[in-house]
């Protein structure tokens, strides 16, 4: 079970400053999760962590800070660098975003040992090509191993489209091998049997087995998903991907995919489907190295930051269009109640009277729903009772 986040700022600070309780042979992996805004990066991060520490919302730019999540499993520590959705200066200006929003994703890439590129396959406008920002990011750091994660596969009715999407996004090449599409999945997709969607190596060692480049489990997964990595590309006879060349911005103009992904995963982060498969893979990719955090640390954020983000997430969810981006949060009370519960009172300051009416809602319905849902999430994060009170004022 993942540890809860401390409710006291000082206690959380002490935990973060605590010397990591290093096991005998520690292993570590720093993971950057990148993708277009709203691809599901925070949802996936929360599922991997087992507790909600990153805000999630359908509105773009819910994640504004560069937070880290920590998964400690036996002798291995995974550090998730949850990055804001990669965006461009024009969109950033429209949403009043910090300059940090434009530079942060690059920053987390610099510290990553592995990058997960998340693509929302339910969005038929964007799913067949990687965004320019993502491609730019990958081509600037070609030496960092990357993995393609197709998210929201549960929403996709026609499962055979996954093959087409995977081929487009990888330019038909994964781990230095050519993807060959078999037609079996087309029949499968009509049957009620749920196709096995992940394609992943059973263990890194199995790639060395002669005549079976991806191990037994691999071949079964390929058969059921209709993807085959049989023929080698570019003379990479061992199936090892060649080191990709650095692309300049001009070269990226007509590029849709990235032919240097090591693996493809297909999952539904919101429902937690196949997230464990990805987690096992990540644990196997960890390299020997000292832990950075004590095993009781789940995130490097302060309890107040988590609280602000979760309340903000709900405000984004329930207010129309650009309105929520103008809300300022001020925490008035943060203390332990008589029965040991955490009492939080926060003022939400809005620029206009009309916004105040929207946020309160008819009969106070909207604001009480926000308080109730945010309170529930905070209980899950802190593992204690939370009494959350919100009031709305015009600033």
């Amino acid at each position: 079970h993942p540890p809860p986040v401390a409710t006291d700022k000082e206690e959380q600070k002490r935990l973060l400053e605590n010397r990591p309780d290093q096991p005998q042979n520690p292993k570590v992996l720093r993971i950057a999760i990148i993708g277009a805004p709203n691809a599901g990066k925070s949802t996936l991060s929360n599922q991997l962590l087992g507790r909600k520490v990153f805000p999630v919302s359908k509105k773009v730019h819910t994640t504004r800070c560069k937070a880290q999540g920590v998964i400690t499993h036996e002798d291995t520590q995974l550090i998730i660098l949850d990055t804001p959705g990669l965006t461009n200066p024009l969109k950033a200006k429209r949403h009043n975003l910090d300059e940090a929003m434009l530079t942060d994703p690059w920053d987390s890439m610099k510290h990553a040992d592995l990058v997960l590129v998340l693509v929302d396959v339910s969005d038929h406008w964007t799913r067949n090509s990687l965004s320019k920002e993502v491609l730019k990011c990958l081509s600037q750091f070609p030496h960092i191993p990357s993995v393609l994660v197709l998210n929201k596969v549960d929403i996709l009715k026609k499962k055979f489209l996954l093959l087409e999407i995977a081929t487009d996004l990888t330019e038909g090449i994964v781990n230095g091998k050519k993807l060959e599409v078999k037609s079996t999945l087309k029949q499968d997709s009509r049957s009620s049997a749920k196709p096995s969607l992940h394609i992943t190596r059973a263990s890194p060692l199995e790639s060395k087995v002669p005549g079976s480049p991806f191990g037994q489990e691999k071949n079964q997964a390929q058969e059921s998903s209709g993807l085959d990595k049989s023929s080698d590309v570019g003379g990479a006879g061992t199936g090892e991907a060649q080191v990709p060349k650095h692309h300049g911005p001009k070269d990226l103009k007509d590029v849709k995919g990235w032919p240097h992904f090591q693996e493809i995963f297909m999952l539904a982060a919101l429902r937690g489907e196949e997230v464990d498969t990805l987690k096992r893979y990540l644990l196997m990719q960890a390299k020997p190295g000292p832990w950075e955090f004590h095993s009781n640390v789940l995130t490097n954020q302060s309890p107040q930051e988590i609280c602000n983000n979760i309340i903000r997430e709900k405000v984004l969810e329930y207010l129309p269009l650009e309105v929520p981006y103008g809300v300022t949060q001020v925490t008035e009370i943060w203390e332990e109640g008589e029965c040991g519960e955490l009492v939080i009172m926060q003022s939400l300051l809005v620029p206009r009277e009309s916004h105040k009416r929207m946020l309160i809602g008819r009969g106070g319905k909207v604001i009480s729903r926000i308080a109730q849902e945010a309170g529930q999430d905070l209980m899950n994060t802190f593992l204690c009772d939370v009494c959350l009170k919100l009031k709305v004022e015009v600033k």
Side-chain angles (χ1 to χ4, degrees):
H1 289 285
V5 177
T7 56
D8 179 62
K9 198 177 185 173
E10 291 309 310
E11 193 186 329
Q12 173 72 347
K13 201 173 157 194
R14 269 196 306 278
L15 254 182
L16 289 169
E17 288 167 357
N18 242 351
R19 255 220 190 105
D21 43 343
Q22 305 284 358
Q24 220 167 1
N25 300 303
K27 287 188 285 200
V28 71
L29 186 74
R30 297 174 66 88
I31 305 148
I33 303 182
I34 66 170
N38 221 350
K41 296 180 294 297
S42 298
T43 303
L44 178 59
S45 301
N46 289 335
Q47 288 282 12
L48 286 167
L49 287 163
R51 255 185 230 306
K52 184 162 183 174
V53 296
F54 297 120
V56 176
S57 155
K58 290 188 191 77
K59 291 240 173 57
V60 295
H61 310 309
T62 311
T63 303
R64 291 181 164 227
C65 61
K66 195 178 55 182
Q68 294 180 356
V70 184
I71 299 164
T72 305
H73 179 77
E74 293 171 1
D75 59 356
T76 305
Q77 197 162 73
L78 304 178
I79 298 163
I80 297 175
L81 315 162
D82 189 52
T83 53
L86 292 180
T87 189
N88 58 39
L90 194 72
K91 288 181 192 155
K93 201 170 173 190
R94 197 170 76 211
H95 289 287
N96 279 329
L97 301 178
D98 266 333
E99 200 150 301
M101 289 283 289
L102 292 165
T103 54
D104 273 358
W106 307 99
D107 200 44
S108 64
M109 283 292 284
K110 282 178 210 150
H111 305 118
D113 306 311
L114 180 80
V115 58
L116 297 184
V117 176
L118 204 59
V119 174
D120 171 3
V121 295
S122 70
D123 186 340
H124 66 275
W125 297 106
T126 59
R127 67 189 174 202
N128 286 84
S129 62
L130 295 172
S131 78
K132 285 289 165 270
E133 282 82 17
V134 167
L135 280 167
K136 199 164 133 194
C137 209
L138 288 169
S139 67
Q140 284 219 343
F141 301 93
H143 55 285
I144 301 175
S146 56
V147 168
L148 176 64
V149 180
L150 304 182
N151 189 23
K152 310 187 190 179
V153 296
D154 53 323
I155 302 172
L156 200 63
K157 297 275 189 289
K158 299 171 180 168
K159 294 286 186 268
F160 63 85
L161 285 173
L162 286 168
L163 301 173
E164 187 190 299
I165 295 166
T167 308
D168 285 347
L169 297 179
T170 59
E171 294 192 350
I173 299 166
V174 177
N175 200 25
K177 299 207 158 214
K178 195 169 180 182
L179 277 181
E180 285 195 356
V181 178
K182 296 177 188 166
S183 59
T184 50
L185 195 75
K186 294 203 176 178
Q187 286 122 37
D188 291 352
S189 66
R190 290 193 204 101
S191 73
S192 56
K194 187 168 158 256
S196 162
L197 292 172
H198 64 275
I199 343 161
T200 172
R201 242 182 340 229
S203 101
L205 294 171
E206 287 179 358
S207 57
K208 309 277 187 296
V209 178
S212 167
F214 293 89
Q216 251 354 82
E217 187 184 303
K218 184 72 192 182
N219 294 339
Q220 287 156 11
Q222 279 170 211
E223 277 162 34
S224 57
S225 63
L227 290 177
D228 182 19
K229 299 181 184 172
S230 55
S231 53
D232 290 334
V233 171
T238 57
E240 290 299 313
Q242 292 172 306
V243 176
K245 291 196 292 288
H246 186 104
H247 288 285
K250 277 191 186 127
D251 308 332
L252 296 175
K253 203 167 63 163
D254 305 312
V255 176
K256 281 167 69 173
W258 180 249
H260 306 289
F261 288 118
Q262 296 203 336
E263 293 288 352
I264 306 175
F265 287 83
M266 306 190 187
L267 47 81
L270 192 60
R271 289 160 63 163
E273 283 177 22
E274 296 296 349
V275 172
D276 269 352
T277 310
L278 176 61
K279 192 172 178 173
R280 282 197 299 274
Y281 172 82
L282 295 172
L283 289 165
M284 284 184 338
Q285 300 307 306
K287 302 279 185 283
W291 285 3
E292 289 183 34
F293 296 95
H294 191 277
S295 59
N296 285 341
V297 171
L298 192 68
T299 177
N300 65 345
Q301 302 169 85
S302 73
Q304 280 82 354
E305 279 176 316
I306 293 174
C307 174
N308 282 347
N309 282 334
I310 284 177
I311 293 170
R312 192 170 163 276
E313 165 201 311
K314 307 299 175 196
V315 172
L316 280 166
E317 209 55 51
Y318 290 114
L319 287 191
L321 297 168
E322 304 291 314
V323 176
Y325 297 99
V327 176
T328 307
Q329 293 162 265
V330 180
T331 302
E332 315 276 358
I333 295 172
W334 184 288
E335 61 190 23
E336 194 177 318
E338 286 170 22
C339 308
E341 78 279 23
L342 175 62
V343 179
I344 304 168
M345 189 165 109
Q346 194 171 90
S347 295
L348 303 175
L349 310 179
V350 292
R352 296 193 187 94
E353 194 63 48
S354 59
H355 291 184
K356 180 181 173 178
R357 283 197 298 274
M358 269 187 232
L359 189 46
I360 292 172
R362 188 173 291 172
K365 266 195 183 143
V366 175
I367 196 69
S368 57
R369 196 169 170 184
I370 289 171
Q372 190 195 349
E373 287 185 15
Q376 227 20 74
D377 281 350
L378 291 169
M379 279 187 213
N380 169 285
T381 306
F382 299 132
L383 275 196
C384 71
D385 286 333
V386 175
C387 171
L388 174 64
K389 297 168 185 166
L390 298 175
K391 55 180 190 178
V392 187
E393 295 171 0
V394 177
K395 58 185 170 195

